[in-house]
Amino acid sequence: MQKAKKRAAVPSFVALCFILLIACTTPEEPATQTPTPPIEEEATPIVTEIVVTAIAEVPTAVPTSVPATEPKALVVCMSQEPDSLYPHGSTTLAATAVQHAIFENNITTLSFDYQAQGLEKIPSLVDGDARIVPIEVNSGDIAVAADGNLVIVEPGIALTNSNGEVTMFDGVPIEMEQLIVDFTMKERRWSDGMPVTAHDSVYSYNLVADPNTPQSKFTINRTASYVATDNLTTRWVGVPGFYDTTYFTNFWQPLPEHIWGELSAAELLVTEASRRLPVGDGPFAIKEWIPGEQIQLVPNPFYYQEGLPHLDSLTYKFIPETNQLISQLLSGECDIGTQDALGSEHTPFLLEAESNGLLVPYFQTGTVWEHIDFGINPEPAHAVTRPDWYEDVRVRQAIAMCTNRQRMVDDILFGRSEVVHVYIPNSHPLFANGLTEWPHDLIAASALLDEAGFLDNNGDGIREAPSTETPFSPTLITTLENDMRNQLVQYFKEDLLACGIEVQLSYFLSGDLYAPGPNGPLFGRRFDLSEFAWSTGVQPPCQYFLSSQIPAAVNDWTGQNNSGFTNEAFDDACLQAIRSIPGTAAYRDGHAEAQRIFAEQLPILPLFLRLRVAAARPEVLNFGVDSTQESELYNIHQIDLRE
């Protein structure tokens, strides 16, 4: 779940131009700005020029581009400063944006798909660099059982044999299947001139496997081996029965073992050489990091892509105050303003700036989508406090038609997003054709509610639950801090009142709303309606709605299916998909069927996709924002400035 950021009030275009009159009339002479005071993140001094020294020591380095008459110096302005640049130590958006400059992208995730960049290709079963082989499994071996759980094989465990049959292990060796995947790197060098090898990737894998490294161990625990088969090739072998749907991503980012090899995984989390000034294999190398102000980078003279990068210098500047960042964009002190600083609320201003030729805004639907959840099967103690409002699917369908989701998109996101009907957007390659949609239709919604027995028997304008005098007046819970969310639940309240349903709104701090069960209202399943956001991605997240994912005491309240939705046909379709290999008919058909059931049954009401918003000066070339690539600076090696 994503917590919303509070942003400063958006200035009007006229007001900001008045403040920066010189910026709006003579952009070639930027207004003077007071530097942001440094933020001391730690008491120890920061070493600032180690990479420059390393580059200067290699006289044979050949520049990858000839500088223009005027050096191409790009300034990227962000609202946040990275906490660390160590790839296994930080996953913040700010860190990712800078890491794209320092480390090569081995695989990108553009447009709900995967692309090879630092690898020769994406491995596939069709091409033979990924394959499924039979393997004999004995008692005591590690395998993935038929239910998808990682187990130590012993009698009584249900396993899937190589014929696809579920077999109870009885002590006799059983033949299962195992995935083997080969990855081939493109030849490249670290910014100190040393070659990057497959052993650097294995070194990185071992760091992730270390208990001190704060990274998920899900794939690590399901890996039988990860080794270098030559200087540029690694081989990943999964444990028997692990049909990893993203097997082609099981390549670990190479890290410079020749520099960091003497440090432990715990030390790498805190040392300057990895956190502040890492040596990388990407298009740029760090020159200096001034805490609280900026990170300056220069081209990596050993970067393997000929003619790249285009820029002569790159600076990431940290400006926490959004209005100041926009001011510096207008004045030319910033060339790019990133999505961590800008939001949909800035749309009118950015469009006005575009019409005046000052900025180019970028609006892109992302992977985060807002939704309203029905308390279909609440925790028993909460269930007795109200009628069973949502078990009848007609009620959920009626509420969908009561809700004017397009108005939310038009008014809140200025028409720049889209209504979603399932847990992936219409543009997703796996979006199923012919899904049931529920348009805004008060007449049809009222007819469904009447049919389900929710009538206004006393004429007060509010319907009552069937066979009771209890008014249909559910409470919707949501977060307090998010202004956009507060606006959309007000719209929802108005829409449902027109259908005879009186929604009460209750606000929680994010930490309280998202607290685990049994105490948290959302994942303790103690709510009538709730509004928050999930994230989708390249792999459709049907698992959020599996019966096995209902948070309850039996699973330590760890599931995500907080609505309590149960549907055997949906479970079968989703499990078929997530246990199949991408590209197979079983994978495609399983995801399509799961979407069809979801769209009909509506365990939750999908609303719309959030926007990713960024802006750049008109002279910035090759910049853009993608739906599924987390940072818009993934192609920093290709970004250029018009001369």
Side-chain angles (χ1 to χ4, degrees):
M1 287 156 292
Q2 300 207 2
K3 193 179 294 185
K5 304 184 290 291
K6 293 293 288 182
R7 293 190 177 94
V10 182
S12 71
F13 182 79
V14 174
L16 192 48
C17 283
F18 179 78
I19 295 171
L20 292 173
L21 180 60
I22 190 169
C24 295
T25 55
T26 54
E28 70 277 12
E29 298 179 8
T32 301
Q33 296 292 321
T34 302
T36 304
I39 300 173
E40 294 296 333
E41 292 195 346
E42 48 191 277
T44 54
I46 304 297
V47 180
T48 59
E49 297 191 353
I50 184 171
V51 174
V52 174
T53 302
I55 293 173
E57 290 174 353
V58 187
T60 58
V62 178
T64 58
S65 62
V66 178
T69 304
E70 291 293 329
K72 294 181 179 180
L74 184 82
V75 179
V76 176
C77 291
M78 311 188 297
S79 69
Q80 298 176 2
E81 181 173 11
D83 53 346
S84 170
L85 293 178
Y86 176 47
H88 299 330
S90 178
T91 57
T92 65
L93 185 60
T96 300
V98 182
Q99 286 166 352
H100 280 308
I102 304 168
F103 297 99
E104 179 65 350
N105 300 322
N106 294 292
I107 299 173
T108 55
T109 56
L110 302 170
S111 302
F112 297 97
D113 204 354
Y114 297 93
Q115 304 83 29
Q117 183 173 311
L119 299 177
E120 291 289 353
K121 65 183 294 292
I122 298 291
S124 74
L125 293 169
V126 173
D127 295 341
D129 42 8
R131 53 206 177 276
I132 298 174
V133 300
I135 183 172
E136 186 178 273
V137 174
N138 296 282
S139 183
D141 290 343
I142 296 175
V144 170
D147 63 2
N149 290 316
L150 190 68
V151 297
I152 297 176
V153 176
E154 60 183 18
I157 296 289
L159 302 173
T160 303
N161 65 23
S162 57
N163 294 321
E165 303 163 338
V166 176
T167 303
M168 198 67 67
F169 183 73
D170 59 4
V172 177
I174 182 175
E175 185 178 87
M176 296 181 67
E177 290 184 328
Q178 185 174 53
L179 258 172
I180 299 176
V181 188
D182 292 323
F183 299 87
T184 302
M185 299 164 45
K186 293 178 179 176
E187 189 172 347
R188 54 190 192 263
R189 291 180 177 272
W190 298 108
S191 60
D192 65 357
M194 295 296 290
V196 181
T197 73
H199 301 282
D200 291 320
S201 178
V202 175
Y203 167 67
S204 180
Y205 164 84
N206 289 328
L207 287 173
V208 175
D210 191 288
N212 290 303
T213 300
Q215 295 271 334
S216 169
K217 303 296 190 284
F218 181 87
T219 301
I220 296 288
N221 292 339
R222 289 158 178 77
T223 297
S225 65
Y226 185 67
V227 298
T229 55
D230 62 35
N231 277 343
L232 294 176
T233 305
T234 64
R235 174 169 294 167
W236 176 84
V237 180
V239 301
F242 181 39
Y243 297 97
D244 188 0
T245 57
T246 56
Y247 66 85
F248 41 78
T249 66
N250 292 339
F251 176 84
W252 276 263
Q253 168 73 56
L255 294 177
E257 184 178 15
H258 67 289
I259 298 177
W260 298 350
E262 298 300 318
L263 299 171
S264 69
E267 290 171 328
L268 286 170
L269 294 172
V270 296
T271 189
E272 292 295 305
S274 50
R275 289 185 65 248
R276 290 279 171 177
L277 298 167
V279 168
D281 58 345
F284 293 91
I286 294 180
K287 176 183 179 182
E288 185 178 38
W289 184 339
I290 304 175
E293 292 187 17
Q294 62 187 23
I295 298 174
Q296 296 178 342
L297 301 96
V298 295
N300 172 6
F302 299 101
Y303 190 55
Y304 72 102
Q305 295 202 52
E306 187 176 353
L308 296 175
H310 295 300
L311 304 170
D312 299 304
S313 70
L314 172 64
T315 300
Y316 291 87
K317 195 172 181 181
F318 316 127
I319 306 177
E321 211 284 311
T322 299
N323 288 349
Q324 184 185 2
L325 186 149
I326 293 175
S327 299
Q328 293 196 26
L329 268 174
L330 290 172
S331 68
E333 294 168 271
C334 297
D335 296 302
I336 293 174
T338 56
Q339 61 178 298
D340 65 333
L342 302 175
S344 56
E345 66 270 28
H346 300 104
T347 299
F349 175 83
L350 293 174
L351 292 175
E352 183 70 16
E354 181 181 36
S355 69
N356 283 274
L358 296 173
L359 298 176
V360 179
Y362 296 85
F363 304 98
Q364 178 63 58
T365 53
T367 57
V368 178
W369 50 289
E370 298 288 334
H371 53 88
I372 290 173
D373 291 12
F374 305 105
I376 300 173
N377 288 305
E379 194 274 331
H382 183 73
V384 300
T385 65
R386 62 158 171 86
D388 190 359
W389 283 324
Y390 309 113
E391 191 67 43
D392 190 329
V393 67
R394 293 172 295 182
V395 176
R396 306 197 296 269
Q397 294 166 349
I399 290 176
M401 290 191 289
C402 292
T403 307
N404 190 343
R405 291 177 282 176
Q406 189 60 50
R407 179 174 72 141
M408 295 177 182
V409 169
D410 292 342
D411 290 3
I412 300 173
L413 299 179
F414 303 94
R416 295 281 172 167
S417 183
E418 64 183 56
V419 171
V420 287
H421 305 285
V422 289
Y423 39 83
I424 57 175
N426 299 357
S427 57
H428 197 291
L430 292 172
F431 184 79
N433 294 323
L435 296 181
T436 303
E437 296 184 4
W438 303 97
H440 182 228
D441 188 335
L442 296 182
I443 295 175
S446 295
L448 268 184
L449 289 169
D450 290 347
E451 184 181 312
F454 285 80
L455 305 172
D456 179 12
N457 294 310
N458 59 14
D460 65 352
I462 306 301
R463 297 173 182 270
E464 289 83 43
S467 305
T468 73
E469 296 182 358
T470 305
F472 197 171
S473 183
T475 297
L476 183 148
I477 60 174
T478 191
T479 54
L480 178 66
E481 305 97 326
N482 190 313
D483 293 339
M484 177 197 69
R485 192 169 287 156
N486 293 341
Q487 186 178 355
L488 79 85
V489 296
Q490 289 290 344
Y491 280 11
F492 180 73
K493 176 182 174 73
E494 295 171 11
D495 289 342
L496 263 63
L497 188 60
C499 282
I501 303 171
E502 187 176 35
V503 175
Q504 309 296 326
L505 301 177
S506 180
Y507 299 92
F508 289 77
L509 293 173
S510 296
D512 296 331
L513 182 71
Y514 301 139
N519 298 321
L522 189 61
F523 293 102
R525 293 171 32 234
R526 295 185 291 107
F527 67 91
D528 302 334
L529 295 166
S530 61
E531 202 288 331
F532 64 107
W534 279 128
S535 180
T536 187
V538 177
Q539 306 295 321
C542 64
Q543 68 273 12
Y544 291 169
F545 311 102
L546 291 170
S547 303
S548 60
Q549 290 298 307
I550 297 175
V554 294
N555 60 13
D556 294 325
W557 304 95
T558 57
Q560 298 132 322
N561 183 2
N562 55 292
S563 68
F565 174 67
T566 58
N567 185 286
E568 185 176 350
F570 178 87
D571 288 353
D572 290 343
C574 179
L575 289 172
Q576 173 184 310
I578 63 179
R579 293 175 181 174
S580 300
I581 300 297
T584 63
Y587 179 80
R588 292 190 300 270
D589 295 347
H591 276 305
E593 181 62 17
Q595 290 173 64
R596 280 190 280 271
I597 295 169
F598 179 99
E600 179 70 28
Q601 292 294 312
L602 288 180
I604 68 173
L605 175 60
L607 297 176
F608 55 79
L609 292 162
R610 284 193 198 168
L611 285 176
R612 290 178 173 174
V613 180
R617 299 279 301 175
E619 56 268 26
V620 176
L621 305 175
N622 307 328
F623 176 71
V625 183
D626 185 78
S627 292
T628 45
Q629 187 71 46
E630 182 181 12
S631 170
E632 62 269 51
L633 296 168
Y634 68 93
N635 68 331
I636 190 66
H637 61 297
Q638 296 173 325
I639 292 177
D640 200 355
L641 288 169
R642 183 179 292 111
E643 295 182 23

